[in-house]
Amino acid sequence: MRITRGLAALIALALAGFAAVAGQAEELSAKNWRTAIATVATQSVVAVIPVLPKHQINQEEPEGTGFAVRDGRTIVTADHVLGRTNTVRLRLSSGAVREADIALRDADTDIALLHVSDALPPLVFSADVRTGADACVLGNAFGLGISLACGVISATDRRGVGFNRIEDFLQTDAAINPGMSGAPLITADGNVAGMASAIFTKSSDGNLGVNFVASARLLEAVLDDGEDGRIERRAAGIILRPLPTPGETGEPGAEVVRVAPGSPEDQAGIAMGDRIRAIGDLAVRGQPDYLSAIVLGAGQDTLTFSIERAGELLDILVQDKSEKGKDR
């Protein structure tokens, strides 16, 4: 088919117009999902107010944030928000204040669960979270009320950062400030990628664009394990040292330097000197990865340890020997 120069110019002009319209529609859509989060998800997010004597109140962060999940009566927040309190109140988006019961506290993960009598619209966890995805935090910054701060998911699988014994963080540059601990990080699909937990800072407790969010999968693991109001986490069965060690070269992994006698790992045949590459789908680079893996895999009867032994690659099945594991 032959096209004259005049007709070609008209087609090019039309295509440019279509591209401009598509670009505007895409920009409008990008704006709409943030607006939807600010208007709809706000109904699920609350200010968490620990009731403490005046001399025990954390003046830098006297309030926190929480959000409803599952049945709408379960509120997820950060454990450190509660401090030493046994009494918690929630301020809803309407401004109404309600009493809440503390259902579970897990200092290892810095996750706490509250219970309210009247259900709120629950948020849903994201199934797929990727680096570079747009995300917004909806939280109670400085106790001023629920507000929106947006950015991207900067990284996933951050463990061993040093805030908690068990970590499975996402990193985000969305602004997280005091009062936003416990806030949901929400992706463009309207679902929760994680919960605001910690701010990386050198000298001041303010946002520097390096913020850490407990992953949705860690939140779900704690919710599942804590359904009966208690956490029964089995003891670590092995001690690892990261590889390569400082000054060495080689592939990343972790070497077993101690095996607890009678532990599930011992009974499965894992031995000193084994190099662990992964546990299930989780790459292992040291003890923090191992600790997170056994928590994230607590709902499974067995975990697959991918190891290297004397140059041979092996998969070893390690059974869950906890009481809750026996009940499943």
Side-chain angles (χ1 to χ4, degrees), residues 166-217:
I166 296 168
E167 297 174 339
D168 189 50
F169 285 141
L170 310 177
Q171 182 181 320
T172 181
D173 66 349
I176 296 177
N177 285 296
M180 298 180 79
S181 295
L185 179 71
I186 303 176
T187 48
D189 60 5
N191 296 334
V192 175
M195 179 202 74
S197 181
I199 300 170
F200 184 85
T201 180
K202 287 293 186 181
S203 58
S204 63
D205 195 15
N207 171 59
L208 297 177
V210 182
N211 305 308
F212 297 99
V213 175
S215 70
R217 63 185 177 184

Side-chain angles (χ1 to χ4, degrees), residues 18-287:
F18 288 142
V21 171
Q24 290 172 2
E26 184 178 351
E27 182 180 356
L28 182 62
S29 175
K31 291 179 180 177
N32 282 346
W33 75 264
R34 293 178 177 87
T35 302
I37 288 174
T39 55
V40 178
T42 299
Q43 309 302 312
S44 307
V45 181
V46 298
V48 177
I49 309 168
V51 180
L52 290 163
K54 287 187 177 180
H55 68 279
Q56 292 184 11
I57 293 175
N58 181 349
Q59 298 299 332
E60 294 182 356
E61 193 174 20
E63 297 185 6
T65 308
F67 58 97
V69 296
R70 297 198 171 177
D71 60 0
R73 294 181 174 85
T74 300
I75 306 295
V76 176
T77 189
D79 181 66
H80 74 262
V81 166
L82 304 183
R84 298 182 178 181
T85 191
N86 293 316
T87 306
V88 180
R89 296 191 179 112
L90 307 179
R91 187 170 60 250
L92 311 185
S93 59
S94 65
V97 177
R98 298 284 187 267
E99 297 284 344
D101 296 323
I102 300 174
L104 180 76
R105 298 191 65 167
D106 182 20
D108 281 350
T109 60
D110 191 33
I111 295 169
L113 306 179
L114 310 176
H115 184 270
V116 291
S117 56
D118 297 326
L120 298 174
L123 296 177
V124 176
F125 292 113
S126 289
D128 186 24
V129 178
R130 298 187 182 185
T131 299
D134 291 328
C136 296
V137 182
L138 197 59
N140 181 28
F142 296 103
L144 296 172
I146 305 304
S147 60
L148 191 72
C150 297
V152 299
I153 295 174
S154 307
T156 62
D157 298 308
R158 293 291 198 219
R159 291 175 289 274
V161 180
F163 290 102
N164 309 319
R165 178 174 177 269
I166 296 168
E167 297 174 339
D168 189 50
F169 285 141
L170 310 177
Q171 182 181 320
T172 181
D173 66 349
I176 296 177
N177 285 296
M180 298 180 79
S181 295
L185 179 71
I186 303 176
T187 48
D189 60 5
N191 296 334
V192 175
M195 179 202 74
S197 181
I199 300 170
F200 184 85
T201 180
K202 287 293 186 181
S203 58
S204 63
D205 195 15
N207 171 59
L208 297 177
V210 182
N211 305 308
F212 297 99
V213 175
S215 70
R217 63 185 177 184
L218 182 60
L219 293 172
E220 290 195 281
V222 172
L223 281 162
D224 290 342
D225 196 15
E227 281 183 336
D228 57 359
R230 59 197 175 102
I231 295 287
E232 289 185 357
R233 193 163 286 143
R234 75 173 178 87
I238 55 176
I239 302 296
L240 302 173
R241 71 180 181 102
L243 296 173
T245 58
E248 293 183 345
T249 59
E251 296 300 317
E255 182 180 359
V256 178
V257 295
R258 184 180 182 277
V259 181
S263 66
E265 288 83 1
D266 181 41
Q267 295 180 23
I270 290 178
M272 288 179 58
D274 287 343
R275 296 189 171 200
I276 298 180
R277 300 299 188 194
I279 300 175
D281 295 330
L282 197 73
V284 174
R285 305 291 184 259
Q287 194 72 7

